[in-house]
Amino acid sequence: MLAKRIIPCLDVEDGRVVKGIKFKDLQDAGDPVELAAMYNEQGADELTFLDIGASYRSREIMIDVVKNVSGEVFIPLTVGGGIREVDDMRRILKAGADKIAICTAALMNPGIISEGAKILGSQCIVLSIDAKKDGDRWYAYKNGGRIKSDYDAIQWAIDVERLGAGEILLNSIDMDGTKQGYDIELTRTVSESVSIPVIASGGAGTLAQMAEAIENGKADAVLLASLLHFGEYTIRDIKNYLSNKGVPIR
Amino acid sequence: MIAIVDYGAGNLRSVKKAFDFLGFESQFVTASTEISGAERLVLPGVGAFGAAMDKLTERGLVGSIKRWVEEDKPFLGICLGMQLLFETSSESPGVRGLSLFKGVCKRFEHDKVPQIGWNQISMMQRSNLFMGIDDGSYFYFLHGYYIAPAEADIILAETDYALRYPSVVGRGRTYAVQFHPEKSGDNGLQLLKNWVELC
């Protein structure tokens, strides 16, 4: 049976993993290759690296990070952050990544999804949607959740599947960092509107909430950041819990 | 030397990285002359059935791959590289595959397509390929089409995804897997090592 995935997300700046809460008080958390190996050891099903350094230099160093990690850790690797063109995607894949996460670039120019899918394959295009509720609708946000777009997040999810995205990484801006749990309604609505896998992100504080995102939110995977980085849970703890609840886990 | 067929589709680098990590020498080959000097041949693959056959034909690789398998030299097909061994695929109607195995490729019609993630294999036969790997082990899959072989005796393992389908096949020294061993952690590395050392 296909297992539900647990995916650690590591923020990288100038070649170092950093951790903080809501992009504030960033601390150095270590070397990306060492942390990738550690999470792999713990049973991570995939790894996601986000380049949060806005500079050209940070992106260049990210290429080396990808080269080094993919030579040591043999599980799928997704890379995102600041990707604007298909050529950026191609370079990161060539360095050893398996998938590319895009967000703002797709909202600015949806054609990048179909172009990327056509040249590189749908399987490597992860569409990241930062969604925030306004009234009774969710909207897709750009620029790291700072700027509201005109797109209804649910319609956007349907559109990106049609354009060729292979997976959706769905982040709830409302719940992000709150530890109050995932936005289950949002997750379920998106998951039931598309036939590509949906990765839930934003809001996890307890193991029960992760199970809820999978069981009620119908998420195919959960993405975790600070909860893992600050050592509150290990991937093994999470997997043991989910497995006891009857969730298929590797 | 292990030759990895490069037909200009998908990310083949991770296969080479896995062999590098295991300490086995490998290189990409793009022409049939380069294949003849190799000891082992890997046909990896991401992408579409028809496009891949076009590329293989364009580069004049079809004949040498077929000959390689017919001569029973060590061969490993990965993902699309497994599907290409069969006759046709509903992904690309009218395109003839390498036709080294009888059977066709079909699209999943239930559940989410493509299947993305870790799934288990149920071993149907003993094989050196599985040495040191437990029955029911997880591997990383990424595919929208699955094979339906005409001959049941080639099936070495099966996987469940709404339906049960063959995920490992083999005959003689020809092996093919639907998952990505190069992305399947320790089990995947073990399988690649087995293939090089025992198959």
Side-chain angles (χ1 to χ4, degrees):
Chain A
M1 202 172 176
L2 185 67
K4 299 293 180 181
R5 291 169 281 159
I6 309 296
I7 309 173
C9 179
L10 300 135
D11 291 337
V12 179
E13 187 171 29
D14 294 333
R16 297 288 291 178
V17 175
V18 291
K19 62 181 183 183
I21 294 165
K22 290 211 156 194
F23 297 102
K24 289 188 188 125
D25 305 321
L26 293 181
Q27 307 160 20
D28 186 278
D31 174 62
V33 179
E34 281 170 27
L35 284 165
M38 183 193 82
Y39 285 127
N40 177 40
E41 204 60 37
Q42 284 186 13
D45 295 308
E46 292 187 30
L47 293 169
T48 294
F49 282 117
L50 289 181
D51 178 20
I52 62 161
S55 67
Y56 174 76
R57 183 170 162 268
S58 188
R59 185 139 14 106
E60 290 307 301
I61 299 171
M62 191 65 166
I63 300 275
D64 285 329
V65 168
V66 172
K67 275 185 191 156
N68 294 335
V69 171
S70 63
E72 299 285 328
V73 177
F74 294 93
I75 56 175
L77 180 59
T78 302
V79 175
I83 288 154
R84 290 186 183 84
E85 298 165 17
V86 172
D87 204 49
D88 296 331
M89 300 183 189
R90 198 201 308 263
R91 287 187 63 210
I92 293 168
L93 291 176
K94 206 172 168 189
D98 299 284
K99 309 177 198 180
I100 302 295
I102 50 172
C103 179
T104 303
L107 286 165
M108 310 281 284
N109 166 28
I112 193 176
I113 305 170
S114 40
E115 195 189 342
K118 189 171 165 230
I119 297 171
L120 307 164
S122 284
Q123 81 290 337
C124 68
I125 313 286
V126 178
L127 216 291
S128 181
I129 301 179
D130 287 345
K132 191 175 183 345
K133 201 160 191 176
D134 184 5
D136 57 357
R137 292 168 73 183
W138 291 276
Y139 288 87
Y141 275 62
K142 53 192 179 184
N143 299 80
R146 289 189 299 273
I147 302 172
K148 187 179 173 181
S149 78
D150 299 331
Y151 287 91
D152 175 286
I154 309 299
Q155 186 57 47
W156 179 231
I158 295 166
D159 290 350
V160 302
E161 177 183 16
R162 187 175 42 77
L163 288 166
E167 269 182 296
I168 289 172
L169 169 54
L170 181 64
N171 184 47
S172 162
I173 297 173
D174 297 311
M175 302 311 286
D176 194 29
T178 64
K179 293 195 174 186
Q180 298 300 303
Y182 294 89
D183 186 333
I184 299 298
E185 197 192 344
L186 168 70
T187 309
R188 190 181 51 239
T189 308
V190 170
S191 199
E192 287 175 345
S193 305
V194 297
S195 67
I196 52 179
V198 174
I199 304 161
S201 164
T206 67
L207 298 171
Q209 290 163 355
M210 296 175 211
E212 203 192 358
I214 292 167
E215 288 170 343
N216 299 334
K218 303 200 188 304
D220 298 280
V222 291
L223 188 86
L224 298 165
S226 56
L227 216 54
L228 290 174
H229 306 328
F230 288 101
E232 284 166 73
Y233 298 107
T234 65
I235 292 169
R236 219 15 87 194
D237 296 335
I238 297 166
K239 288 194 158 182
N240 287 341
Y241 176 86
L242 293 175
S243 180
N244 286 336
K245 297 266 296 183
V247 175
I249 286 297
R250 176 170 72 107
Chain B
M1 193 268 296
I2 302 166
I4 303 168
V5 181
D6 177 2
Y7 48 98
N11 178 19
L12 316 174
R13 211 155 293 260
S14 47
V15 179
K16 181 163 183 1
K17 285 192 176 198
F19 284 129
D20 288 348
F21 182 82
L22 290 166
F24 300 125
E25 200 200 327
S26 63
Q27 65 185 54
F28 294 112
V29 293
T30 53
S32 55
T33 46
E34 297 172 311
I35 290 180
S36 52
E39 288 151 34
R40 304 186 152 265
L41 191 63
V42 178
L43 183 61
V46 181
F49 191 91
M53 280 312 297
D54 284 350
K55 288 267 167 56
L56 289 175
T57 308
E58 209 177 284
R59 298 192 177 191
L61 290 162
V62 171
S64 38
I65 295 171
K66 287 180 85 157
R67 204 154 40 244
W68 184 280
V69 171
E70 279 157 10
E71 288 171 5
D72 201 27
K73 292 188 190 171
F75 178 93
L76 181 65
I78 297 174
C79 195
L80 179 65
M82 171 197 232
Q83 298 178 2
L84 293 171
L85 297 178
F86 290 83
E87 293 167 300
T88 57
S89 172
S90 56
E91 183 173 23
S92 311
V95 176
R96 190 98 191 130
L98 293 169
S99 307
L100 289 155
F101 287 138
K102 290 194 176 71
V104 298
C105 309
K106 299 178 178 174
R107 188 176 161 85
F108 285 121
E109 279 176 6
H110 311 279
D111 253 317
K112 294 197 172 184
V113 182
Q115 170 175 228
I116 300 182
W118 297 78
N119 204 337
Q120 292 168 288
I121 63 165
S122 304
M123 298 172 186
M124 308 301 287
Q125 291 184 44
R126 285 176 65 93
S127 170
N128 283 345
L129 199 61
F130 301 145
M131 202 65 79
I133 298 169
D134 294 332
D135 191 14
S137 288
Y138 280 94
F139 289 86
Y140 187 76
F141 288 82
L142 178 50
H143 63 123
Y145 296 79
Y146 64 94
I147 55 157
E151 300 151 304
D153 64 319
I154 64 168
I155 300 169
L156 300 182
E158 292 181 340
T159 293
D160 261 311
Y161 187 61
L163 54 87
R164 222 171 141 94
Y165 68 92
S167 47
V168 184
V169 296
R171 176 187 286 152
R173 304 189 79 185
T174 301
Y175 292 88
V177 296
Q178 181 60 70
F179 48 79
H180 288 275
E182 75 281 12
K183 285 290 158 186
S184 296
D186 291 343
N187 285 330
L189 293 171
Q190 182 66 46
L191 186 135
L192 290 173
K193 190 168 183 285
N194 289 344
W195 177 67
V196 176
E197 293 179 342
L198 307 171
C199 294

